[in-house]
Amino acid sequence: METKDLDYLVGKVAGLILEASKVVVFTGAGHSTESGIPDFRSPGGIWSRFDPDDFTIQKFMSSRETRKMQWQMLVEGGLLKNAEPNQAHYAVAELEKLGKLGCVITQNIDNLHQKAGNSPERVFELHGNMKRVRCMSCDACFPMEDILHRLRKEEIPDCQFCNGILKPDAVFFGEALPQKTLSDATHHSRNCDLFIVIGSSLVVYPAAYMPMYAKEAGAKLVIINLSPTPMDSQATVLIAAKAGEAMAKIMERVRSQVSA
Ligand code: APR
């Protein structure tokens, strides 16, 4: 994207943020690629290396063998690496500090919004969080680090309390999304005046309904994404640039106008 075009669009988004009373930020895997976590559908992304059909809850529960393969994908796929927030995360955390952020709705399971400083109660994780592992029998929860340590010894970890099956606290295909999180996210999407999508292909539902709910409720829509999405034609502002660069420039512009 031409720098002059980017600067012009950055100014428009900064203006929308300044006049908004409640901003909802919606993030996808593209928001974390600059933290070294691969996304799913870009060239070289996770679904170009692994088959999504292998990662259903049915397959995970069906046998130790499929569980071993899925744990291997999570480790090799790069979804469990101890990543750091990038500029885009810090920009979204700054939005909260400025009192502009209603909430963050994220499809990501990497905990990076919280790590960057967003209040956990303002982060709605539609697809769960990879920092925890849950027992499918007794519901006990364990930190992922403890389980990774056991995984390295080539064993598939079972619950140390009841020997039940342990599953990462992320939503697998075929699994229901956390209902309260989904209804809270839907409520916020329907009650904001600016909805900013960052780093999502907007092809997975029900998450991808959120920007639609916001538009239906009269909110302005901003999309910051490197490739086209099905909602592009409905965007008030569309920025095809890297999330970190765009969001850092946007918040720089907002800060300069707030302090002026
Ligand atoms: N800046 C801006 N956009 C980026 C960047 C970046 N640095 N890196 C990648 N992108 C864009 C890609 O062009 C792509 O359109 O981010 C988008 C990421 O799309 P997906 O890989 O489909 O990720 P996401 O939309 O989060 O997928 C939704 O699908 O497989 C499931 O559960 C998984 O939560 C995931 C869901």
Side-chain angles (χ1 to χ4, degrees):
M1 168 171 277
E2 287 288 313
T3 307
K4 65 177 173 41
D5 303 342
L6 179 58
D7 285 345
Y8 169 70
L9 294 173
V10 159
K12 283 188 72 174
V13 175
L16 291 175
I17 289 172
L18 287 162
E19 68 193 30
S21 53
K22 186 177 171 195
V23 181
V24 167
V25 172
F26 177 93
T27 61
H31 195 272
S32 295
T33 51
E34 292 165 68
S35 296
I37 300 176
D39 70 8
F40 295 92
R41 296 173 182 84
S42 286
I46 289 185
W47 298 142
S48 67
R49 291 181 281 146
F50 298 93
D51 179 354
D53 291 344
D54 286 340
F55 299 95
T56 61
I57 185 65
Q58 293 78 6
K59 287 204 175 165
F60 186 84
M61 298 305 284
S62 65
S63 78
R64 238 179 142 68
E65 261 324 291
T66 51
R67 272 196 291 288
K68 189 175 171 70
M69 181 185 67
Q70 293 187 5
W71 275 109
Q72 232 164 340
M73 169 266 182
L74 292 172
V75 175
E76 289 164 17
L79 282 173
L80 300 183
K81 64 171 65 170
N82 212 356
E84 291 303 316
N86 63 57
Q87 293 185 92
H89 294 101
Y90 289 116
V92 176
E94 187 181 357
L95 259 183
E96 179 177 344
K97 290 189 191 79
L98 286 176
K100 284 285 180 180
L101 185 75
C103 71
V104 182
I105 300 169
T106 187
Q107 300 169 96
N108 300 337
I109 55 178
D110 54 32
N111 206 59
L112 289 182
H113 286 299
Q114 297 92 320
K115 206 168 179 181
N118 278 115
S119 319
E121 64 273 16
R122 281 184 197 266
V123 181
F124 295 102
E125 297 172 308
L126 295 180
H127 296 166
N129 186 311
M130 203 49 105
K131 292 298 166 199
R132 298 178 300 271
V133 173
R134 193 180 294 277
C135 173
M136 302 297 277
S137 304
C138 70
D139 213 32
C141 257
F142 306 90
M144 177 61 82
E145 301 82 62
D146 298 359
I147 304 302
L148 283 179
H149 175 68
R150 293 172 59 190
L151 260 177
R152 284 188 194 98
K153 294 184 198 143
E154 288 304 300
E155 64 180 279
I156 298 301
D158 291 327
C159 177
Q160 61 202 51
F161 299 140
C162 74
N163 271 328
I165 293 172
L166 292 180
K167 184 181 97 47
D169 213 11
V171 177
F172 281 38
F173 286 124
E175 211 177 0
L177 272 64
Q179 278 315 301
K180 172 130 181 26
T181 306
L182 185 57
S183 62
D184 289 348
T186 301
H187 172 78
H188 283 281
S189 299
R190 292 190 192 285
N191 291 277
C192 67
D193 46 7
L194 179 59
F195 193 95
I196 305 178
V197 174
I198 310 174
S200 179
S201 57
L202 295 179
V203 296
V204 171
Y205 291 87
Y209 285 129
M210 299 303 138
M212 297 177 183
Y213 296 149
K215 281 297 285 181
E216 283 163 13
K220 291 194 172 66
L221 176 64
V222 170
I223 297 178
I224 301 170
N225 204 59
L226 279 176
S227 51
T229 83
M231 291 285 290
D232 285 359
S233 59
Q234 301 190 58
T236 313
V237 181
L238 182 61
I239 301 184
K242 295 187 84 169
E245 179 186 14
M247 282 306 289
K249 284 178 181 277
I250 288 165
M251 290 316 292
E252 195 181 304
R253 196 73 65 86
V254 168
R255 222 179 293 126
S256 66
Q257 304 201 19
V258 162
S259 54

